[in-house]
Amino acid sequence: MKMITRGKRRAERGQWKAVLYAFLFPLLLCACGETGTRFHLEGKFKNINQGEFYLCDFDNGTKDTISLRDGRFTYDKDMPDTVVLTLIFPNFSELPIIATPGGNIKMEGDVSHLKETEITGTEENELLTGFRLQTKEMMPPAVKQKAEEFILKHPASPVSLYLLRRYFIMAVDADYARIAKLSETMLKAKPNSIPLIQLHKRLKATSNLKSSGKLPKFRATDTNGKTVSDSLLRKKANVIMVWASWSFDSQQMLHQLNRWKSEHHDSIGVISICMDADACEGRKALENDSIKWPDVCDGKMWDSPLVSTLGISFIPENIVIDKSGNIVGRHLSAADLKDKVDKLLRQK
């Protein structure tokens, strides 16, 4: 009888272990899997009670809306890879955030002094916060110099990737030789970084298409299903405008172009390229602003054949073409773009 009782007890303990394992195993998977890639962000701001922010991933063309209540917000998302997110405020001020798998980030600041906002929780965000606080009173040339020093000191850091884009690639006077040298240093330090590999590829395409020479021939389909090509850009002044629904600067340029075209009608030719991952977002924005020129959005973003053909590396971007198909300017500021267009319109 004792032998039977002991055997029965062992069997019961085995059943309980099986039940306990079945209950705990999914939790263990969760702890080692999804929660290991879960990114958590929480923020607190003074001098604002409620509102909506955008949190954008410019590389992947995604945009999430964050609601602020009582000056606070939270954001959770599965993050399989490290990316740079940009928090866009209602006044279109921006704050960069390094989002890492499993990262737990805290943000605290005052909306009237956004440059002093502190982002803590990971080494990368604390490095980026330190850079912002160090340079908040500096003039642009000095900030750019500090950015280069940071990149050379931390070439493998995702912060360096952000600084390269923000202060070098997106500069109106972009020095492609300098950019290439910095990106090569970064790629050497982190050769398997997919964002760096993709960026290096785009920069190479951009360097092949200078601010002069003939516009490459191209053919694409716009969001209305119609074929567009370089042959449409044979007016007195022509502009290719690269934009996105999450880029305030690019939308401002679109509005300016729309005003100029309304004033000069068929004297200006425009084709826009929307870098959104979803064509519906771009189409909606154009319809709201009564913009009717051809807009191309294939959802492939940086992998789009048209983007590669034109050597596009950043947003906003513009290429100005004369009536003979010659490139006469690219990556111009809003003021320089207007001057270039006006000059072409005055030519006979």
Side-chain angles (χ1 to χ4, degrees), residues 42-45 95 105-110 113-121 125-126 129-130 132-133:
E42 58 183 76
K44 180 173 69 174
F45 285 95
L95 276 176
I105 308 302
K106 291 186 178 181
M107 173 183 289
E108 189 168 347
D110 188 325
H113 300 90
L114 286 176
K115 289 184 178 180
E116 298 175 8
T117 301
E118 292 198 16
I119 305 175
T120 59
N125 281 288
E126 288 165 10
T129 296
R132 279 193 294 99
L133 295 177

Side-chain angles (χ1 to χ4, degrees), residues 20-71:
L20 189 61
Y21 183 76
F23 176 74
L24 289 177
F25 186 65
L27 299 180
L28 291 170
L29 281 179
C30 187
C32 297
E34 286 192 19
T35 54
T37 61
R38 201 72 180 170
F39 171 71
H40 175 78
L41 169 67
E42 58 183 76
K44 180 173 69 174
F45 285 95
K46 297 178 182 178
N47 293 317
I48 186 171
N49 185 40
Q50 61 184 22
E52 288 189 342
F53 302 162
Y54 289 136
L55 193 60
C56 301
D57 178 353
F58 292 160
D59 281 331
N60 297 310
T62 60
K63 178 178 68 175
D64 294 325
T65 302
I66 294 178
S67 295
L68 189 76
R69 295 288 182 271
D70 298 323

Side-chain angles (χ1 to χ4, degrees), residues 168-346:
F168 295 90
I169 296 174
M170 296 180 69
V172 173
D173 56 344
D175 182 344
Y176 291 110
R178 191 178 184 186
I179 292 168
K181 185 176 180 180
L182 289 172
S183 67
E184 285 172 3
T185 300
M186 294 165 62
L187 192 59
K188 185 176 180 180
K190 201 169 184 180
N192 297 321
S193 169
I194 294 176
L196 275 174
I197 293 170
Q198 292 174 338
L199 177 62
H200 202 68
K201 180 181 178 181
R202 295 200 300 269
L203 288 173
K204 186 176 181 180
T206 301
S207 65
N208 292 334
L209 187 63
K210 305 297 183 183
S211 298
S212 60
K214 283 286 185 180
L215 178 72
K217 292 186 178 298
F218 66 84
R219 184 177 294 271
T221 303
D222 71 9
T223 53
N224 292 318
K226 296 181 180 180
T227 299
V228 297
S229 69
D230 56 287
S231 62
L232 296 179
L233 302 173
R234 292 296 182 269
K235 309 294 185 181
K236 293 186 72 174
N238 306 274
V239 180
I240 295 175
M241 182 68 215
V242 184
W243 71 289
S245 66
W246 36 260
S247 169
F248 175 70
D249 291 340
S250 69
Q251 290 190 61
Q252 286 289 89
M253 284 193 172
L254 278 182
H255 297 158
Q256 289 179 326
L257 271 175
N258 198 31
R259 287 198 299 271
W260 302 339
K261 187 159 178 60
S262 297
E263 293 171 4
H264 299 281
H265 303 289
D266 287 340
S267 295
I268 299 179
V270 181
I271 293 176
S272 56
I273 301 172
C274 178
M275 296 298 287
D276 282 17
D278 184 353
C280 293
E281 287 281 340
R283 188 186 300 115
K284 189 186 302 180
L286 293 180
E287 289 174 352
N288 290 341
D289 294 324
S290 301
I291 295 175
K292 299 179 180 178
W293 59 61
D295 181 67
V296 178
C297 182
D298 59 13
K300 297 179 181 179
M301 302 181 61
W302 300 113
D303 292 326
S304 168
L306 182 57
V307 168
S308 178
T309 297
L310 296 177
I312 295 165
S313 297
F314 34 77
I315 303 168
E317 169 68 300
N318 52 68
I319 304 173
V320 185
I321 308 103
D322 67 15
K323 62 183 178 182
S324 300
N326 298 308
I327 297 173
V328 296
R330 69 177 297 160
H331 197 40
L332 303 175
S333 66
D336 289 340
L337 179 61
K338 188 177 189 309
D339 289 343
K340 187 70 71 174
V341 169
D342 286 344
K343 183 177 180 181
L344 290 174
L345 291 173
R346 289 194 298 267

